[in-house]
Amino acid sequence: MVEQYDNVQKIEGRHIGTSTSISIIVKDGIISEINQLNTKRESLPWIAPGLVDLQINGFQGMDFNTLPITEELISEAVRGLWKEGVTSFYPTVITNGVEEIEKVMSVFSNACNKDTFVHESIAGIHLEGPFISPEDGPRGAHGKEYVIAPDWSLFQRWQKAAEGRIKILTLSPEWSNSTDFIRKCSDEGVTVSIGHTAATSEQIIEAVKAGARMSTHLGNGAHTMLPRHPNYLWEQLAQEQLWTGFIADGFHLPDSVIKVILRTKRDKAILVSDAVYLSGLEPGLYETHIGGKVVLAEEGKLHLAENPNLLAGSAQLLTWGIEQLIQKGLCSLSEAWEMASIRPASCMNIPLHKIEVGNRPDFVVFEWDGQHIKIKDTFKNGVQVY
């Protein structure tokens, strides 16, 4: 509930962390007061930190991986994601040709330089590949013809085009030069995430020692058959230093796997959407540049048209994943929201914008009916953007 008086806004709602009914006064873009309401009002909406998505490939028909990409498209995507409660995100650029990746990085950099809101909302770029496993299964939908071994000079070329905005790099440590490459990335402040990998346990251990800090959508981008032990899934779960990103759209992972991730990783479990550009569109048959004909089903599943058992990516955003976790009894509303906001921000060392006096509001106001989330208002860096 937001009331506006000239340059002052009053927001009433229930704090996501404490369930306390509060009133927030925002003056000139700064939280000037937070007062506890005397009566508990169940009808009030929730107030929570803005969502942070570490892995998103596109939204509402806007693809971050198909050239030509325009600065206007990026600006539109940023503003569309505000409506979904996402205040910070890492647009994800997947395996492609050298020039294509460089071009995409340049467009994102230009978009950030020209639009303050784009700059503030894009916390960094996630480069997913091309230094991944060439094997079928772990490679996923990434084009095999573009998969290569880690190349520092090439990465530096892309980083230059991005003006230093590549903050997450997904790679497989199975390459012989991976350890040295990971160490260089870590020294440059780039978070290396293990994913799309066929690495041995020993290679994963060495990668973590070299500075790898995260796992990319653990449990997906993997062989259909694995040794019972050891294998690269067990090893990543066992590495306490690794944050773990996972997809909870109800299709990518069974509940049992999510339970194991939550119990083993605890406060290092992070919800990601990994949404493709079909997210936010109506159910139907679509033609894509990677998977060919795909179907976005009524229940939210995105699969190949010729085989409903084969996923064609995720078509759901973070709020959907939060809903799934709660509906299945895997965690509470506050825990699920934390996995999609505070934890990814902590992992990437970006400002948390806590709901405290003196801070600029970076939060959302939403309704929760026990099944679905409805975003009502979004604040970004002191400004109500939705």
Side-chain angles (χ1 to χ4, degrees), residues 292-307:
K293 285 186 171 58
V294 300
V295 173
L296 177 53
E298 291 284 348
E299 67 271 23
K301 181 180 180 180
L302 183 65
H303 61 80
L304 298 182
E306 61 187 28
N307 188 345

Side-chain angles (χ1 to χ4, degrees), residues 172-191:
S172 171
E174 65 196 74
W175 301 94
S176 60
N177 63 334
S178 295
T179 301
D180 182 57
F181 185 88
I182 292 169
R183 190 171 292 113
K184 288 180 179 178
C185 285
S186 182
D187 290 344
E188 294 288 330
V190 177
T191 294

Side-chain angles (χ1 to χ4, degrees), residues 99-292:
E99 286 75 21
E100 287 81 358
I101 292 177
E102 184 175 26
K103 177 61 177 177
V104 173
M105 294 299 172
S106 179
V107 175
F108 270 106
S109 179
N110 291 337
C112 288
N113 290 334
K114 291 181 178 180
D115 189 325
T116 300
F117 279 120
V118 171
H119 169 71
E120 292 175 348
S121 296
I122 294 179
I125 299 171
H126 182 165
L127 178 57
E128 186 184 354
F131 314 132
I132 58 174
S133 177
E135 293 187 24
D136 292 345
R139 193 181 71 255
H142 292 236
K144 187 174 184 177
E145 67 272 27
Y146 300 122
V147 174
I148 56 175
D151 184 320
W152 183 247
S153 63
L154 188 56
F155 178 73
Q156 289 292 82
R157 174 179 166 183
W158 292 330
Q159 188 68 291
K160 182 179 179 181
E163 298 186 22
R165 289 185 173 87
I166 302 175
K167 298 298 183 182
I168 305 174
L169 173 65
T170 291
L171 60 70
S172 171
E174 65 196 74
W175 301 94
S176 60
N177 63 334
S178 295
T179 301
D180 182 57
F181 185 88
I182 292 169
R183 190 171 292 113
K184 288 180 179 178
C185 285
S186 182
D187 290 344
E188 294 288 330
V190 177
T191 294
V192 173
S193 187
I194 299 170
H196 289 282
T197 185
T200 64
S201 292
E202 292 73 22
Q203 289 170 329
I204 289 172
I205 292 170
E206 289 305 310
V208 173
K209 288 180 180 178
R213 299 184 57 244
M214 194 164 71
S215 296
T216 295
H217 53 49
L218 188 67
N220 297 115
H223 293 98
T224 55
M225 297 290 288
L226 284 172
R228 59 180 180 176
H229 50 69
N231 63 56
Y232 47 76
L233 298 182
W234 284 119
E235 194 58 57
Q236 289 180 79
L237 284 169
Q239 291 296 318
E240 295 180 5
Q241 299 95 319
L242 291 179
W243 295 77
T244 297
F246 69 98
I247 306 168
D249 62 354
F251 311 111
H252 276 74
L253 294 174
D255 294 352
S256 58
V257 173
I258 294 178
K259 283 182 180 179
V260 171
I261 291 173
L262 297 183
R263 290 175 181 175
T264 55
K265 289 302 177 177
R266 300 179 183 177
D267 60 357
K268 279 188 164 61
I270 297 174
L271 186 62
V272 299
S273 73
D274 197 22
V276 300
Y277 74 101
L278 296 177
S279 60
L281 298 185
E282 293 296 318
L285 177 67
Y286 294 91
E287 184 78 34
T288 69
H289 63 288
I290 295 179

